[in-house]
Amino acid sequence: MANIQFPQDFVWGTATASYQIEGAYQEDGRGLSIWDTFSHTPGKVFNDDNGDVACDSYHRYEEDVALLKKLGVKAYRFSIAWPRIFPQGTGDVNEKGLEYYRKVVDALLAAGIEPCATLYHWDLPQALQDKGGWDNRETIDAFVNYAEVMFKAFDGKIKQWITFNETWCVSFLSNYIGAHAPGNRDLQLAINVAHHCMVAHGEAVRKFRELGISGEIGTTHNLYWFEPYTTSPQDIEAARRNRAFNNEWFMDPTFKGSYPQFMVDWFKTKGATVPILPGDMETIAQKIDFIGVNYYSGGFGRYKEGEGLFDCEEVQIGFDKTYMDWNVYADGLYKVLSWVHEEYGDTPIYITENGACYEDELTADNRVHDVQRTDYYRKHFIQCHRLIGSGVPLKGYFAWSLLDNFEWAEGYRKRFGIVYTNYETLERHPKISYYFIQDVIGKNGFDV
């Protein structure tokens, strides 16, 4: 039995997002978000589920903080609902919204848990979407104003800030593929949205520095490790395009201040260009204190003319699958973070999300024996240990997610939590995976 031991300062945490857990969608002055609109549109979400109640964490945050404390985490990544702070996206601050997050942050600090706040986890105020949303550059200014209010309100209490969660999902998944709010299917629009979100990120980082806010600021990209099925040049190029769609398209501007030219050229063949204004790329490339990486899966691809946006088809090579039908590819985590370190330098890395969806059943003894999820975590923890041993500056790991919750377009049928949520009673039941992670945190390692 080999013992896996993590550095003493390694940050163990777990993560959630506001719309997925809070509920209370019309309480205390909160405005509507694009996800309220999307989920209330028939046929957009499985079973026409919505986030009106979700896990009711708005009223049960103390219970959730108690679960975090029992778990033993050093940090908790949550997101702030922009429409709770600015119901119309701009204008007067909703003090009751600020007060809710003050209570959450104070409860975390009292429990010895560091709050890590994400400013944008997809719930854009609907009032801003009505004016064009992220396609309208005025939304950049609205975001920076919102960010400034939060920075000032929590300076000294929140020491780790994430501007955006998964800009690929905000842009391409939501505005090209159309699976998420606002549900558009327009490549040029998606490229516009991606660019404007990254400019907004850079402007928020600049504001953070100007204000002299204590702590660290970064952003989170969802990275996918995609490899060529063979060594043929066509397969290599097809797989490279497919990977860059998630990875280089967002990482290069963040760290290099430029878009990958081979992707710019490819998008031009599809009739789409990037709406860069003077100064944009310098803004996007503002120096960040860390990079967050959300990793769930990877795969293999080969060239196939006309297949998807990039003439690339995925090849199934026998991976185990999660209930999301995603490949379980733990070694891909090692490969993608090694690539990040090699390509973009020594910026500290946090795995801001990693986890798995399986069909969970609550047994008569109020337990969930999620052996597959536990095994998923074990495999990925081993890769984290490998990365640290290989000199990659991996500083922490946030499991997705603390709770079963509203899984976006999948509604409530897909469960990622290490705590089971009974959506009828809203009771929480820690799963076997919760106790596994609790033990890992307690020992700061495990035996394999």
Side-chain angles (χ1 to χ4, degrees):
M1 299 280 281
N3 186 262
I4 299 289
Q5 198 69 38
F6 285 83
Q8 283 301 309
D9 60 352
F10 192 76
V11 176
W12 292 103
T14 185
T16 61
S18 51
Y19 190 75
Q20 292 182 273
I21 68 165
E22 286 180 0
Y25 86 113
Q26 287 185 315
E27 286 191 45
D28 292 337
R30 178 188 178 275
L32 295 179
S33 77
I34 56 174
W35 270 97
D36 294 302
T37 302
F38 191 78
S39 66
H40 285 93
T41 303
K44 294 296 186 182
V45 174
F46 177 80
N47 197 40
D48 287 335
D49 291 338
N50 58 57
D52 294 4
V53 176
C55 305
D56 195 33
S57 197
Y58 189 80
H59 300 110
R60 296 169 181 259
Y61 70 90
E62 291 174 307
E63 185 179 349
D64 296 338
V65 172
L67 284 165
L68 289 163
K69 185 175 182 180
K70 182 181 177 184
L71 184 60
V73 293
K74 293 180 181 178
Y76 173 55
R77 178 180 174 234
F78 65 99
S79 78
I80 295 159
W82 187 348
R84 286 204 193 280
I85 310 303
F86 288 101
Q88 300 302 309
T90 58
D92 294 332
V93 173
N94 176 30
E95 289 297 334
K96 287 186 177 179
L98 266 182
E99 182 57 31
Y100 167 67
Y101 293 109
R102 285 194 185 100
K103 290 188 291 187
V104 170
V105 168
D106 287 347
L108 290 167
L109 293 172
I113 299 166
E114 287 291 336
C116 171
T118 302
L119 287 167
Y120 189 75
H121 201 130
W122 309 354
D123 41 3
L124 182 72
Q126 181 62 42
L128 294 182
Q129 183 62 40
D130 293 342
K131 299 175 183 178
W134 287 111
D135 191 35
N136 182 350
R137 286 187 72 109
E138 290 180 5
T139 302
I140 297 171
D141 298 328
F143 177 77
V144 176
N145 177 64
Y146 153 61
E148 180 175 358
V149 167
M150 300 314 297
F151 294 153
K152 289 178 177 177
F154 292 95
D155 188 17
K157 286 192 172 184
I158 297 176
K159 296 174 183 173
Q160 192 170 47
W161 295 90
I162 293 170
T163 54
F164 281 77
N165 178 76
E166 298 185 349
T167 313
W168 180 88
C169 291
V170 179
S171 54
F172 291 109
L173 185 63
S174 303
N175 289 285
Y176 170 64
I177 298 169
H180 283 186
N184 298 309
R185 296 185 178 181
D186 183 319
L187 179 60
Q188 183 62 65
L189 174 62
I191 288 173
N192 294 352
V193 167
H195 182 69
H196 294 159
C197 285
M198 287 194 282
V199 173
H201 151 76
E203 292 286 13
V205 172
R206 185 177 277 152
K207 179 63 68 174
F208 183 87
R209 306 289 186 217
E210 288 174 358
L211 294 170
I213 302 297
S214 58
E216 298 181 330
I217 190 166
T219 191
T220 283
H221 296 312
N222 53 309
L223 304 186
Y224 187 83
W225 190 249
F226 208 72
E227 299 177 44
Y229 183 64
T230 74
T231 57
S232 77
Q234 283 189 315
D235 282 2
I236 289 170
E237 287 304 308
R240 185 187 184 206
R241 289 190 295 269
N242 215 60
R243 188 187 78 181
F245 188 40
N246 276 81
N247 297 11
E248 286 96 323
W249 191 255
F250 299 94
M251 294 289 283
D252 276 18
T254 301
F255 286 99
K256 297 180 178 180
S258 61
Y259 287 97
Q261 191 60 45
F262 74 97
M263 290 292 285
V264 171
D265 295 341
W266 185 264
F267 282 136
K268 279 183 180 177
T269 69
K270 307 298 181 182
T273 57
V274 189
I276 301 171
L277 295 186
D280 278 1
M281 302 314 296
E282 180 187 3
T283 296
I284 294 171
Q286 293 293 302
K287 182 173 173 55
I288 52 178
D289 300 306
F290 65 90
I291 182 68
V293 173
N294 294 354
Y295 176 82
Y296 288 97
S297 188
F300 287 77
R302 65 184 170 197
Y303 174 79
K304 183 179 180 182
E305 186 176 356
E307 181 68 23
L309 186 58
F310 301 109
D311 292 352
C312 182
E313 69 167 349
E314 185 164 356
V315 183
Q316 299 301 325
I317 66 166
F319 286 114
D320 290 337
K321 301 273 191 175
T322 68
Y323 188 41
M324 294 290 286
D325 200 35
W326 296 348
N327 298 330
V328 178
Y329 190 18
D331 195 42
L333 176 62
Y334 179 84
K335 292 177 178 179
V336 75
L337 292 193
S338 295
W339 169 78
V340 169
H341 181 225
E342 181 179 334
E343 187 72 18
Y344 302 107
D346 291 328
T347 300
I349 301 168
Y350 289 86
I351 296 169
T352 39
E353 290 181 26
N354 177 240
C357 172
Y358 291 104
E359 293 184 271
D360 296 324
E361 182 180 349
L362 189 66
T363 59
D365 61 353
N366 283 331
R367 302 296 289 273
V368 176
H369 298 272
D370 57 336
V371 176
Q372 288 174 297
R373 183 176 292 106
T374 301
D375 185 56
Y376 180 99
Y377 279 120
R378 184 189 303 275
K379 288 176 177 176
H380 287 78
F381 290 170
I382 291 170
Q383 300 304 323
C384 292
H385 189 256
R386 286 184 67 204
L387 285 159
I388 294 167
S390 299
V392 175
L394 178 61
K395 302 300 182 182
Y397 178 103
F398 292 80
W400 184 270
S401 173
L402 174 66
L403 303 168
D404 292 334
N405 54 50
F406 177 79
E407 184 45 42
W408 306 113
E410 297 290 346
Y412 293 102
R413 68 171 168 169
K414 300 291 176 75
R415 295 175 178 269
F416 276 88
I418 57 174
V419 175
Y420 182 93
T421 303
N422 182 325
Y423 294 117
E424 298 298 318
T425 66
L426 297 173
E427 290 177 297
R428 282 88 155 117
H429 302 280
K431 305 176 187 180
I432 296 302
S433 57
Y434 174 97
Y435 293 107
F436 168 69
I437 293 174
Q438 180 189 58
D439 189 60
V440 170
I441 294 172
K443 296 174 180 174
N444 202 30
F446 60 100
D447 291 331
V448 294

